[in-house]
Amino acid sequence: LELRLGMERSVAHVGGERSSGLEALEVGAKAALCSEKAWRPRTSVIAHVAIPGTAAPGFRPEGPAGNMRFTLQHTLSDRLSVGYNLGGEWEGGAFAAGIWTATVGLGAGDRWGFFGEMYGSLGADGAADHWTDAGATFRMGSHVLLDTSFGTSLRGDGAWFVGAGLSFRVPVRVPR
């Protein structure tokens, strides 16, 4: 079990105007469902809820917002892994988009890790939005992880983001 807290500062171009600000603070959890065994990936579920009133005016969700995804990971070597996620987002009490992620992770010693990923969404209205990013993780202790990332939209509109997160792992036995 992992408790999660995250916030992103974003820059967006909407209707020809550029805006920047903090997105809503998200709190959530990641829970293990099964461990990796042979071809079966390590599987977890991640869920977040946005805290109302914590975002800049141009980035506030319209009503209750959150997301949930299943995350699957394969270990290719002691330093290299690949992962993929599939899930959904909700805003204002209604389904807003299906979401996906494909990630490559590289361990660099006991404390540092680096990753690159592509991800996106398909909105309930059929609109697609795809991004790419890269980042680093730093293990501050056996149960605390700090991460940072930066990325850009693949729409070609110049949108980008910088983000940081802090995760606390609660030690529990992983189901087999």
Side-chain angles (χ1 to χ4, degrees), residues 10-135:
S10 295
V11 176
H13 295 270
V14 178
E17 291 190 26
R18 180 177 183 245
S19 62
S20 65
L22 293 175
E23 293 190 23
L25 175 67
E26 290 187 338
V27 295
K30 178 179 180 180
L33 298 177
C34 65
S35 59
E36 186 174 6
K37 185 175 181 180
W39 288 98
R40 182 181 72 194
R42 179 171 66 185
T43 306
S44 302
V45 62
I46 299 174
H48 294 101
V49 175
I51 303 299
T54 60
F59 295 92
R60 287 189 183 134
E62 295 178 18
N67 59 66
M68 188 192 84
R69 68 191 73 202
F70 289 96
T71 174
L72 302 100
Q73 182 177 349
H74 292 282
T75 303
L76 302 179
S77 74
D78 61 340
R79 291 185 169 216
L80 185 64
S81 65
V82 295
Y84 41 100
N85 301 342
L86 191 59
E89 295 180 332
W90 292 263
E91 185 172 334
F95 177 77
I99 53 178
W100 65 274
T101 306
T103 305
V104 175
L106 178 65
D110 293 336
R111 292 184 173 249
W112 287 95
F114 300 94
F115 62 90
E117 63 186 349
M118 293 185 73
Y119 60 96
S121 64
L122 181 59
D125 60 359
D129 187 20
H130 303 293
W131 294 72
T132 186
D133 74 354

Side-chain angles (χ1 to χ4, degrees), residues 126-150:
D129 187 20
H130 303 293
W131 294 72
T132 186
D133 74 354
T137 60
F138 179 73
R139 189 161 303 285
M140 298 173 65
S142 58
H143 301 295
V144 181
L145 184 73
L146 177 65
D147 68 81
T148 185
S149 60
F150 59 93

